[in-house]
Amino acid sequence: MKDLVRLRTPIKESVELALNQQIQMEMVSSSKYLAMAGWCDRNGFDYSAGFFYKQSEEERGHAMKLFHYLCDQGATAISPEVPAVAQEFDTLRSVFEGALEQEIAVTDSINRIISVCRRENDFATEELMKWYVKEQMEEEYIARRCLDLFDQIPADQIFELDKQLSKVTYDGNVFE
Amino acid sequence: MYTVSSRSTDWIEIFRTDKGVVYQCDATQRLILAFWDTYTALSARDFAQFRRMVETIDVRQMALSTDLAHDVEILTPPRSERCYVLTLCEVIHLRELLSGAQTMLELNSLLRECGCRLP
Ligand SMILES: [Fe+2]
Ligand SMILES: [Fe+2]
């Protein structure tokens, strides 16, 4: 008797489900960052706005990478529903706090997917997820470093702070 | 998907309840759902999607709501012209049939992974 599912795809249903949930999460992140960019833009934080516009694009890229992977593997990728996200924030600091929280949630989710891969012996997907592990280390680093700047730069120098925030990068990723 | 008028002898019976049967046809690589004396042949992908559609029906709402619209659930298997109009009982029966078939398909995968092969 043929194994019809395996002939179609090497991806197990539990992995397919987890990856589709991750696609949704990345698209929600993209939407959240876009809302943050809009808030920064209309409140005169031009540099931070630029930072979040770029982040928003990147998150969409993360979703698309998974989407193409599922399609290439013969599995079903689902264009996700993206619920409404917050459009208003109290302060610039709370925007960056929101960004760090979102990145932590994503890291946890990536780790959960890897444990699903291990349970299912899905080494190809695990290999793909390693890229996300590195990416998350970088993203969490940047978000944390940004929050440090709020303590390091006096609150009355908000223009300087805005500028410095957008310059935070992570060079020398230990994984590379 | 396509409709088949009668049972072929090449079909392997995957799972049976008193309400229906799921067969596999190796030659056409289709799963055949026999329910209400109709045969519906689906690809493995469409079968999985149809199973998820049946699994996600809100049976609680069907059971509790007095709204006429909630008395039946209308389902169209992917890429098919067939339309199932299901009562609450039929949803439950279909679920039992599809999840039983799913378990047997998973068992077949497991055997293949171990290097065993069913004829
Ligand atoms: Fe991401
Ligand atoms: Fe991110």
Side-chain angles (χ1 to χ4, degrees), chain B residues 37-84:
Chain B
D37 301 321
T38 60
Y39 294 106
T40 308
L42 297 152
S43 69
R45 182 201 299 265
D46 291 342
F47 183 83
Q49 201 184 321
F50 183 59
R51 176 171 48 79
R52 282 194 289 259
M53 286 163 78
V54 175
E55 272 166 13
T56 50
I57 293 172
D58 189 348
V59 283
R60 222 185 108 81
Q61 188 190 49
M62 282 182 89
L64 298 179
S65 171
T66 51
D67 190 336
L68 270 178
H70 294 146
D71 281 355
V72 290
E73 184 72 31
I74 301 166
L75 278 190
T76 309
R79 291 183 287 148
S80 80
E81 290 119 50
R82 185 179 307 286
C83 182
Y84 287 109

Side-chain angles (χ1 to χ4, degrees), chain A residues 58-72:
Chain A
E58 269 184 28
E59 299 303 343
R60 187 182 155 80
H62 298 165
M64 291 311 293
K65 208 179 171 80
L66 295 169
F67 200 97
H68 288 304
Y69 174 74
L70 282 174
C71 291
D72 293 350

Side-chain angles (χ1 to χ4, degrees), chain B residues 106-119:
Chain B
E106 280 169 13
L107 183 61
N108 186 40
S109 287
L110 216 65
L111 286 170
R112 187 194 46 77
E113 280 168 25
C114 304
C116 314
R117 229 189 173 116
L118 287 178

Side-chain angles (χ1 to χ4, degrees), chain A residues 13, chain B residues 14 47-48 51 97-107:
Chain A
E13 209 171 324
Chain B
I14 304 286
F47 183 83
R51 176 171 48 79
L97 178 60
L98 295 176
S99 74
Q102 173 63 13
T103 306
M104 298 317 285
L105 291 173
E106 280 169 13
L107 183 61

Side-chain angles (χ1 to χ4, degrees), chain A residues 8-43:
Chain A
R8 174 173 69 82
T9 176
I11 305 287
K12 298 264 168 60
E13 209 171 324
S14 56
V15 174
E16 183 183 275
L17 186 74
L19 292 185
N20 274 311
Q21 282 168 347
Q22 191 58 35
I23 288 172
Q24 201 229 14
M25 194 174 203
E26 300 287 352
M27 291 296 268
V28 170
S29 291
S30 177
S31 178
K32 282 185 177 171
Y33 283 138
L34 186 58
M36 289 171 179
W39 185 89
C40 290
D41 214 340
R42 65 180 175 272
N43 285 286

